[in-house]
Amino acid sequence: YYSNAGSGWTNGVIVKTGAGTVLAGVNEATNFPLTVQGGTWKLGRSGATDLRNALLLEGGTIACAAGCTNAFRLAELAAGTSNAVRLDEGAELSFAAFTPGEGSCLSVVTAQVSERLRIGTGASLSSAQLRVIRLDGARVCQDDAGYLHPKAPGTLILIR
């Protein structure tokens, strides 16, 4: 639930639907669940929000503007089908956890190599979770700090 002491509004769920982009530039902690069903929810600056509940992508995109870092330290990223995370140059997003839905696919698109997506604080994603994530079209692996990286093609050797 979202709370705004200035207006007295203390209750709500935010759902972004339809095409277009919402640019979030508020620098405050929020307790509302955010669902992006269409279009883009773009974080315009570092610390634009600190979600305390799940971010659910249901056909929408969460984006982070160039050079900004946003940590959803307590939030879980949940994904349905056809979802995207877009990171502009130098951007970084962090989530506490990731829960893929049935038939989900999470596409992470970066501007350059310097953009990073972090889930958890260690190598916490299962192979099933990693299978539904693509980073610039490539399968991913997770390092010991929780950051996702393109999975290098390997060589299969069969010894009998």
Side-chain angles (χ1 to χ4, degrees):
Y1 290 97
Y2 178 74
S3 178
N4 182 325
S7 69
W9 187 65
T10 59
N11 184 339
V13 175
I14 294 185
V15 179
K16 163 70 177 88
T17 61
T21 299
V22 170
L23 182 60
V26 177
N27 191 10
E28 64 179 59
T30 53
N31 291 321
F32 59 83
L34 172 62
T35 300
V36 183
Q37 293 179 339
T40 301
W41 186 278
K42 185 170 186 172
L43 304 170
R45 65 178 190 194
S46 293
T49 190
D50 180 11
L51 288 177
R52 303 274 170 92
N53 288 315
L55 167 63
L56 176 58
L57 296 176
E58 293 181 333
T61 298
I62 184 81
C64 197
C68 77
T69 59
N70 283 277
F72 299 120
R73 292 180 294 274
L74 303 175
E76 179 177 338
L77 173 62
T81 58
S82 303
N83 305 286
V85 173
R86 193 181 75 239
L87 302 173
D88 291 346
E89 186 176 346
E92 181 177 328
L93 282 175
S94 298
F95 293 94
F98 172 63
T99 304
E102 173 113 12
S104 69
C105 178
L106 180 65
S107 174
V108 182
V109 180
T110 62
Q112 296 181 15
V113 196
S114 60
E115 295 73 50
R116 303 192 303 175
L117 179 64
R118 183 180 192 182
I119 299 175
T121 56
S124 59
L125 294 180
S126 70
S127 59
Q129 290 170 308
L130 291 170
R131 271 195 299 271
V132 302
I133 302 172
R134 295 292 182 270
L135 179 59
D136 295 325
R139 295 188 74 164
V140 298
C141 59
Q142 187 179 35
D143 67 22
D144 290 339
Y147 290 99
L148 300 181
H149 303 280
K151 190 173 187 177
T155 302
L156 178 62
I157 300 174
L158 179 61
I159 300 174
R160 292 185 184 222

